[in-house]
Amino acid sequence: MFMAEISFIGAEAVVTPLEFLGFSAMEKTRVRKRYRNGSLDLRLRKARTRAEARILLAAKNVVAVPSVLFVGEDRLILEKVDGTLLSKLPVDELAKNLPKSAKNLALLHSAGIVHGDYTVSNQILQPSGVLAVIDFGLSKISNAPEERALDVLTMVKSLPSGGELSSNRNSAQQCTSFSPSGDRWQQPASYASTEAFNRCQQASSYRPAGRFNRRQQPPRFSPAGDRRPQLSRYAPTGASEKPTGKIQSLPQRQAPKFIAAYAGFSKNKKIKAQVNAILSRARYATQQGA
Ligand SMILES: Nc1ncnc2c1ncn2[C@@H]1O[C@H](COP(=O)(O)OP(=O)(O)O)[C@@H](O)[C@H]1O
Ligand SMILES: [Mg+2]
């Protein structure tokens, strides 16, 4: 087949299915960002491609990740992982799989790997029930508790808002979720119910107008291309679930469950305590309106 069937256009990369050496594969090409200086852009794309390949190889020892089949300058060819993104699962299915997700994250962290974009859109539940982790484009080797806590927060922040979303809110807003890679308008959160799923499907052609248009959207974090979010950007977990009129991305009902499971699987007591301290600080800061 000459033409790829479907491409996934993410914040950073275009991912296209193809066949490679007889394997079902995905080619992930990092695309140029117009808002970045040309040579910086190329340098970043090359570095991130190499880093992603290296970390995928390291992560393979601890969790299910796609095999690396080819490494180019700005592209990788990866084994295709069959299954369903966590973001596409109904919320009860997602809830069932959260402990696996938490365990995977704790295992990655124990191996010194920080994912950098640990969200429901970067985990695939395989038909075997094994949960695979993908998209190591923002990953790094780090033991810093802050980095680990950010992974936990990023995951928690990407969880769906729960079943009782306000009916007066724009249904497309209910479909959005947060990701450090910035593609919040692209990837729907998991669906709280079949009804929510249908609403999101109907609204899937929705694109926010004006300054929120993806193409016109400025870099969300830093013009230097460092898109790591700051702790203060996270909303509190466990706060009121009443609709506010704003995009309500938290609290996610499952957040405490995920955090508890993560803590349970986290072996290093010191790191665990530090991560917990950061999580409660972040919660406190956001409750204060930071
Ligand atoms: N190895 C893979 N197997 C199956 N699907 C994949 C694979 N890699 C990427 N995808 C699909 O492509 C999408 C975007 O890929 P990802 O690596 O997350 O790039 P981005 O950095 O743009 O988010 C994913 O959400 C997933 O649906
Ligand atoms: Mg992704």
Side-chain angles (χ1 to χ4, degrees):
M1 188 183 277
F2 289 98
M3 294 277 291
E5 303 125 59
I6 320 159
S7 293
F8 299 89
I9 303 169
E12 265 217 300
V14 176
V15 179
T16 311
L18 81 169
E19 205 185 279
F20 187 79
L21 303 175
F23 287 97
S24 281
M26 301 296 264
E27 181 180 59
K28 179 168 178 175
T29 307
R30 283 191 160 68
V31 288
R32 182 161 179 212
K33 294 277 184 197
R34 301 240 158 252
Y35 60 74
R36 276 196 305 239
N37 165 287
S39 59
L40 169 68
D41 183 80
L42 184 63
R43 198 147 47 86
L44 278 175
R45 283 186 291 140
K46 282 187 186 175
R48 286 184 179 164
T49 300
R50 272 198 313 272
E52 183 167 6
R54 270 203 309 267
I55 294 200
L56 273 165
L57 294 173
K60 196 146 192 80
N61 294 323
V62 285
V63 298
V65 296
S67 301
V68 179
L69 304 176
F70 175 83
V71 186
E73 270 208 333
D74 60 355
R75 71 198 177 108
L76 294 176
I77 298 181
L78 305 174
E79 173 197 5
K80 180 173 191 251
V81 179
D82 286 321
T84 313
L85 286 174
L86 281 192
S87 60
K88 297 280 161 78
L89 288 180
V91 82
D92 49 341
E93 284 293 311
L94 168 63
K96 263 190 244 158
N97 285 285
L98 277 185
K100 287 183 202 168
S101 170
K103 185 175 186 181
N104 279 350
L105 188 59
L107 287 170
L108 286 170
H109 286 175
S110 315
I113 298 167
V114 162
H115 186 278
D117 194 10
Y118 202 72
T119 67
V120 287
S121 298
N122 287 329
Q123 296 170 65
I124 299 177
L125 182 63
Q126 296 172 282
S128 62
V130 174
L131 185 62
V133 185
I134 60 164
D135 195 0
F136 286 76
L138 294 174
S139 302
K140 54 171 128 166
I141 301 295
S142 164
N143 287 321
E146 289 83 2
E147 304 273 2
R148 291 175 170 167
L150 266 180
D151 272 349
V152 178
L153 283 167
T154 302
M155 175 63 189
V156 154
K157 179 79 178 164
S158 81
L159 291 172
S161 307
E164 273 70 60
L165 286 166
S166 140
S167 54
N168 58 14
R169 284 176 53 234
N170 180 317
S171 55
Q173 288 180 346
Q174 294 176 15
C175 304
T176 60
S177 66
F178 173 89
S179 148
S181 62
D183 43 355
R184 58 186 302 185
W185 304 113
Q186 280 261 318
Q187 299 174 341
S190 301
Y191 303 106
S193 61
T194 309
E195 196 213 331
F197 176 83
N198 291 336
R199 258 186 286 144
C200 290
Q201 292 307 98
Q202 278 161 18
S204 62
S205 59
Y206 173 86
R207 283 289 174 278
R211 67 198 177 91
F212 290 113
N213 183 298
R214 265 180 63 74
R215 280 168 189 268
Q216 298 160 10
Q217 204 176 348
R220 280 162 51 81
F221 299 110
S222 137
D226 174 8
R227 293 168 299 109
R228 301 287 296 168
Q230 290 144 14
L231 284 177
S232 61
R233 287 189 174 269
Y234 292 90
T237 53
S240 156
E241 291 197 30
K242 291 197 185 95
T244 58
K246 294 186 204 149
I247 293 178
Q248 181 195 2
S249 50
L250 275 181
Q252 291 80 10
R253 291 227 168 107
Q254 309 296 336
K257 192 168 155 184
F258 181 85
I259 293 173
Y262 173 83
F265 289 118
S266 216
K267 292 277 179 284
N268 184 323
K269 287 214 175 92
K270 197 172 151 208
I271 296 286
K272 198 158 126 179
Q274 283 170 321
V275 168
N276 278 335
I278 291 163
L279 289 172
S280 49
R281 257 207 324 271
R283 228 168 290 161
Y284 179 76
T286 45
Q287 272 159 9
Q288 300 298 301

